[in-house]
Amino acid sequence: MIDLIGKIVEVGTVETVYFGKLVEINENEVHLETASGWLVIPVERVAYVREKEAD
């Protein structure tokens, strides 16, 4: 997943799907820069992280 840093990604959780630029990912958290601001998602809630497909 390190190769996705700096790219626009889709992060899926049980509750929802988030879109934004992947800024950091570590053992505990995923950090996204979204249109509405910064978002930090605990890794235990993340189902997947993948590069966003072109619209």
Side-chain angles (χ1 to χ4, degrees):
M1 281 193 243
I2 298 296
D3 57 322
L4 294 176
I5 291 177
K7 296 183 180 179
I8 303 300
V9 297
E10 177 180 321
V11 179
T13 68
V14 175
E15 299 88 19
T16 192
V17 176
Y18 300 100
F19 297 96
K21 183 166 96 176
L22 182 61
V23 176
E24 181 180 345
I25 187 165
N26 59 44
E27 300 157 354
N28 302 314
E29 301 169 329
V30 174
H31 296 254
L32 290 180
E33 184 178 359
T34 69
S36 58
W38 289 90
L39 184 63
V40 178
I41 308 166
V43 167
E44 59 267 5
R45 289 182 42 214
V46 174
Y48 63 86
V49 177
R50 61 182 171 221
E51 191 168 2
K52 185 177 182 291
E53 295 180 10
D55 291 330

